[in-house]
Amino acid sequence: MLVHGDERLPLARLLKFMELGERLAQSCATSQALLARDARTRRFFRRQARHEALHAAVFQAASDRLASRHLGSPPCFGPLDLYRRAIEQAVFRGDLAETLMGQQVILEGLGEVILRRMEVGLAKREAGFTRLRRTLLRQEEEHHAFGLRALEGAIASGEASKDVLKIRGREYIELATSLIVRTQDMLSEIHEDAADLTAEFKARLPQWLTS
């Protein structure tokens, strides 16, 4: 893998951030499977939870391989802890629609954008494991697309209110944007621009959620 010495630590820390995000996604999908009303949706969430566990293990292994001796204590991603609490509160209320918005639509949307950016960089650095990297990205796209369809379906059927979701969505989007700010030093070290990433992330969200 052609990673320059000054890139190893920031890339390892970014991978650690991705690992923590995947572990949150795994926990959320497991809870969503319990909230889902139909067998097909429950199966999707259970499969997603397995996907996220694999993703987390891959990112952890890659981070350790790059800088296991120098990473030190895990980087502090405070907004991710707040994000977890918001989703856990939605789970406690049994609000499946909000969890879809918070996890699959917003957080998975951010993860997909970061993963796409990283994929370009990893390909340039001849990182190897091309099939595995493409599988992870394809699965992230699948989770995000499912969330968009399921959320729109809940709104169309009257099970969820677009106006309420839009209000709640502001907190999730603000926290997600704060995560990008928190990782901007790592992104810049591997030649990625946080402002561009933020714009791409927001562009992938439903227009009604950001207007």
PDB file of all heavy atoms in Angstrom, residues 94-113:
ATOM      1  N   GLY A  94     -39.974   4.248  19.985  1.00  0.00           N
ATOM      2  CA  GLY A  94     -40.552   3.384  18.961  1.00  0.00           C
ATOM      3  C   GLY A  94     -40.767   4.101  17.644  1.00  0.00           C
ATOM      4  O   GLY A  94     -41.607   3.683  16.837  1.00  0.00           O
ATOM      5  N   ASP A  95     -40.009   5.175  17.413  1.00  0.00           N
ATOM      6  CA  ASP A  95     -40.179   5.991  16.207  1.00  0.00           C
ATOM      7  C   ASP A  95     -39.267   5.463  15.103  1.00  0.00           C
ATOM      8  O   ASP A  95     -38.148   5.949  14.910  1.00  0.00           O
ATOM      9  CB  ASP A  95     -39.855   7.454  16.532  1.00  0.00           C
ATOM     10  CG  ASP A  95     -40.304   8.411  15.440  1.00  0.00           C
ATOM     11  OD1 ASP A  95     -40.406   7.978  14.272  1.00  0.00           O
ATOM     12  OD2 ASP A  95     -40.544   9.591  15.752  1.00  0.00           O
ATOM     13  N   LEU A  96     -39.751   4.474  14.366  1.00  0.00           N
ATOM     14  CA  LEU A  96     -38.948   3.858  13.314  1.00  0.00           C
ATOM     15  C   LEU A  96     -38.596   4.859  12.221  1.00  0.00           C
ATOM     16  O   LEU A  96     -37.484   4.849  11.693  1.00  0.00           O
ATOM     17  CB  LEU A  96     -39.684   2.659  12.718  1.00  0.00           C
ATOM     18  CG  LEU A  96     -38.956   1.898  11.608  1.00  0.00           C
ATOM     19  CD1 LEU A  96     -37.616   1.355  12.095  1.00  0.00           C
ATOM     20  CD2 LEU A  96     -39.834   0.762  11.065  1.00  0.00           C
ATOM     21  N   ALA A  97     -39.546   5.736  11.868  1.00  0.00           N
ATOM     22  CA  ALA A  97     -39.303   6.705  10.806  1.00  0.00           C
ATOM     23  C   ALA A  97     -38.130   7.620  11.150  1.00  0.00           C
ATOM     24  O   ALA A  97     -37.277   7.914  10.294  1.00  0.00           O
ATOM     25  CB  ALA A  97     -40.560   7.531  10.539  1.00  0.00           C
ATOM     26  N   GLU A  98     -38.071   8.077  12.396  1.00  0.00           N
ATOM     27  CA  GLU A  98     -36.957   8.947  12.780  1.00  0.00           C
ATOM     28  C   GLU A  98     -35.631   8.195  12.730  1.00  0.00           C
ATOM     29  O   GLU A  98     -34.610   8.758  12.329  1.00  0.00           O
ATOM     30  CB  GLU A  98     -37.164   9.544  14.166  1.00  0.00           C
ATOM     31  CG  GLU A  98     -36.045  10.518  14.533  1.00  0.00           C
ATOM     32  CD  GLU A  98     -36.268  11.235  15.851  1.00  0.00           C
ATOM     33  OE1 GLU A  98     -37.417  11.607  16.151  1.00  0.00           O
ATOM     34  OE2 GLU A  98     -35.273  11.434  16.586  1.00  0.00           O
ATOM     35  N   THR A  99     -35.646   6.924  13.139  1.00  0.00           N
ATOM     36  CA  THR A  99     -34.395   6.160  13.067  1.00  0.00           C
ATOM     37  C   THR A  99     -33.962   5.978  11.612  1.00  0.00           C
ATOM     38  O   THR A  99     -32.768   6.004  11.321  1.00  0.00           O
ATOM     39  CB  THR A  99     -34.525   4.777  13.739  1.00  0.00           C
ATOM     40  OG1 THR A  99     -35.408   3.934  13.002  1.00  0.00           O
ATOM     41  CG2 THR A  99     -34.999   4.907  15.173  1.00  0.00           C
ATOM     42  N   LEU A 100     -34.901   5.791  10.706  1.00  0.00           N
ATOM     43  CA  LEU A 100     -34.571   5.685   9.278  1.00  0.00           C
ATOM     44  C   LEU A 100     -33.924   6.977   8.787  1.00  0.00           C
ATOM     45  O   LEU A 100     -32.921   6.952   8.072  1.00  0.00           O
ATOM     46  CB  LEU A 100     -35.824   5.396   8.455  1.00  0.00           C
ATOM     47  CG  LEU A 100     -36.374   3.972   8.509  1.00  0.00           C
ATOM     48  CD1 LEU A 100     -37.793   3.931   7.949  1.00  0.00           C
ATOM     49  CD2 LEU A 100     -35.476   3.022   7.727  1.00  0.00           C
ATOM     50  N   MET A 101     -34.520   8.103   9.178  1.00  0.00           N
ATOM     51  CA  MET A 101     -33.972   9.394   8.769  1.00  0.00           C
ATOM     52  C   MET A 101     -32.582   9.609   9.364  1.00  0.00           C
ATOM     53  O   MET A 101     -31.637   9.995   8.656  1.00  0.00           O
ATOM     54  CB  MET A 101     -34.893  10.521   9.214  1.00  0.00           C
ATOM     55  CG  MET A 101     -34.359  11.924   8.904  1.00  0.00           C
ATOM     56  SD  MET A 101     -35.395  13.239   9.621  1.00  0.00           S
ATOM     57  CE  MET A 101     -35.123  12.966  11.387  1.00  0.00           C
ATOM     58  N   GLY A 102     -32.454   9.328  10.660  1.00  0.00           N
ATOM     59  CA  GLY A 102     -31.189   9.593  11.335  1.00  0.00           C
ATOM     60  C   GLY A 102     -30.078   8.660  10.917  1.00  0.00           C
ATOM     61  O   GLY A 102     -28.928   9.095  10.748  1.00  0.00           O
ATOM     62  N   GLN A 103     -30.399   7.368  10.731  1.00  0.00           N
ATOM     63  CA  GLN A 103     -29.359   6.395  10.420  1.00  0.00           C
ATOM     64  C   GLN A 103     -29.177   6.185   8.923  1.00  0.00           C
ATOM     65  O   GLN A 103     -28.165   6.577   8.349  1.00  0.00           O
ATOM     66  CB  GLN A 103     -29.684   5.054  11.093  1.00  0.00           C
ATOM     67  CG  GLN A 103     -28.652   3.975  10.834  1.00  0.00           C
ATOM     68  CD  GLN A 103     -27.267   4.376  11.304  1.00  0.00           C
ATOM     69  OE1 GLN A 103     -27.090   4.795  12.433  1.00  0.00           O
ATOM     70  NE2 GLN A 103     -26.285   4.278  10.434  1.00  0.00           N
ATOM     71  N   GLN A 104     -30.165   5.560   8.275  1.00  0.00           N
ATOM     72  CA  GLN A 104     -29.961   5.182   6.873  1.00  0.00           C
ATOM     73  C   GLN A 104     -29.873   6.385   5.933  1.00  0.00           C
ATOM     74  O   GLN A 104     -29.069   6.384   4.997  1.00  0.00           O
ATOM     75  CB  GLN A 104     -31.085   4.238   6.397  1.00  0.00           C
ATOM     76  CG  GLN A 104     -30.922   2.800   6.811  1.00  0.00           C
ATOM     77  CD  GLN A 104     -31.354   2.543   8.242  1.00  0.00           C
ATOM     78  OE1 GLN A 104     -31.915   3.401   8.910  1.00  0.00           O
ATOM     79  NE2 GLN A 104     -31.098   1.329   8.717  1.00  0.00           N
ATOM     80  N   VAL A 105     -30.682   7.412   6.166  1.00  0.00           N
ATOM     81  CA  VAL A 105     -30.702   8.548   5.239  1.00  0.00           C
ATOM     82  C   VAL A 105     -29.551   9.516   5.509  1.00  0.00           C
ATOM     83  O   VAL A 105     -28.779   9.848   4.596  1.00  0.00           O
ATOM     84  CB  VAL A 105     -32.056   9.284   5.313  1.00  0.00           C
ATOM     85  CG1 VAL A 105     -32.026  10.559   4.459  1.00  0.00           C
ATOM     86  CG2 VAL A 105     -33.181   8.361   4.836  1.00  0.00           C
ATOM     87  N   ILE A 106     -29.395   9.979   6.752  1.00  0.00           N
ATOM     88  CA  ILE A 106     -28.409  11.021   7.036  1.00  0.00           C
ATOM     89  C   ILE A 106     -27.024  10.434   7.329  1.00  0.00           C
ATOM     90  O   ILE A 106     -26.050  10.747   6.629  1.00  0.00           O
ATOM     91  CB  ILE A 106     -28.889  11.915   8.199  1.00  0.00           C
ATOM     92  CG1 ILE A 106     -30.169  12.647   7.784  1.00  0.00           C
ATOM     93  CG2 ILE A 106     -27.796  12.917   8.581  1.00  0.00           C
ATOM     94  CD1 ILE A 106     -30.774  13.524   8.873  1.00  0.00           C
ATOM     95  N   LEU A 107     -26.910   9.580   8.350  1.00  0.00           N
ATOM     96  CA  LEU A 107     -25.574   9.098   8.717  1.00  0.00           C
ATOM     97  C   LEU A 107     -24.996   8.161   7.658  1.00  0.00           C
ATOM     98  O   LEU A 107     -23.809   8.241   7.336  1.00  0.00           O
ATOM     99  CB  LEU A 107     -25.622   8.394  10.074  1.00  0.00           C
ATOM    100  CG  LEU A 107     -24.250   8.125  10.710  1.00  0.00           C
ATOM    101  CD1 LEU A 107     -23.505   9.434  10.950  1.00  0.00           C
ATOM    102  CD2 LEU A 107     -24.401   7.361  12.021  1.00  0.00           C
ATOM    103  N   GLU A 108     -25.839   7.277   7.102  1.00  0.00           N
ATOM    104  CA  GLU A 108     -25.344   6.398   6.033  1.00  0.00           C
ATOM    105  C   GLU A 108     -25.005   7.216   4.788  1.00  0.00           C
ATOM    106  O   GLU A 108     -24.069   6.888   4.050  1.00  0.00           O
ATOM    107  CB  GLU A 108     -26.392   5.333   5.684  1.00  0.00           C
ATOM    108  CG  GLU A 108     -26.689   4.364   6.805  1.00  0.00           C
ATOM    109  CD  GLU A 108     -25.795   3.143   6.788  1.00  0.00           C
ATOM    110  OE1 GLU A 108     -24.925   3.058   5.905  1.00  0.00           O
ATOM    111  OE2 GLU A 108     -25.987   2.281   7.659  1.00  0.00           O
ATOM    112  N   GLY A 109     -25.778   8.287   4.560  1.00  0.00           N
ATOM    113  CA  GLY A 109     -25.463   9.159   3.428  1.00  0.00           C
ATOM    114  C   GLY A 109     -24.097   9.796   3.589  1.00  0.00           C
ATOM    115  O   GLY A 109     -23.313   9.863   2.635  1.00  0.00           O
ATOM    116  N   LEU A 110     -23.788  10.247   4.812  1.00  0.00           N
ATOM    117  CA  LEU A 110     -22.463  10.815   5.079  1.00  0.00           C
ATOM    118  C   LEU A 110     -21.385   9.748   4.927  1.00  0.00           C
ATOM    119  O   LEU A 110     -20.346   9.993   4.301  1.00  0.00           O
ATOM    120  CB  LEU A 110     -22.432  11.400   6.490  1.00  0.00           C
ATOM    121  CG  LEU A 110     -21.075  11.892   6.986  1.00  0.00           C
ATOM    122  CD1 LEU A 110     -20.521  12.973   6.065  1.00  0.00           C
ATOM    123  CD2 LEU A 110     -21.181  12.402   8.426  1.00  0.00           C
ATOM    124  N   GLY A 111     -21.626   8.574   5.493  1.00  0.00           N
ATOM    125  CA  GLY A 111     -20.646   7.500   5.392  1.00  0.00           C
ATOM    126  C   GLY A 111     -20.362   7.105   3.957  1.00  0.00           C
ATOM    127  O   GLY A 111     -19.215   6.837   3.585  1.00  0.00           O
ATOM    128  N   GLU A 112     -21.419   7.093   3.143  1.00  0.00           N
ATOM    129  CA  GLU A 112     -21.241   6.732   1.740  1.00  0.00           C
ATOM    130  C   GLU A 112     -20.363   7.749   1.015  1.00  0.00           C
ATOM    131  O   GLU A 112     -19.485   7.381   0.229  1.00  0.00           O
ATOM    132  CB  GLU A 112     -22.603   6.632   1.055  1.00  0.00           C
ATOM    133  CG  GLU A 112     -22.536   6.211  -0.392  1.00  0.00           C
ATOM    134  CD  GLU A 112     -23.891   6.225  -1.074  1.00  0.00           C
ATOM    135  OE1 GLU A 112     -24.918   6.138  -0.359  1.00  0.00           O
ATOM    136  OE2 GLU A 112     -23.931   6.337  -2.313  1.00  0.00           O
ATOM    137  N   VAL A 113     -20.593   9.035   1.288  1.00  0.00           N
ATOM    138  CA  VAL A 113     -19.796  10.084   0.644  1.00  0.00           C
ATOM    139  C   VAL A 113     -18.329   9.959   1.058  1.00  0.00           C
ATOM    140  O   VAL A 113     -17.423  10.032   0.215  1.00  0.00           O
ATOM    141  CB  VAL A 113     -20.349  11.479   0.998  1.00  0.00           C
ATOM    142  CG1 VAL A 113     -19.376  12.575   0.557  1.00  0.00           C
ATOM    143  CG2 VAL A 113     -21.698  11.688   0.329  1.00  0.00           C
TER     144      VAL A 113
END
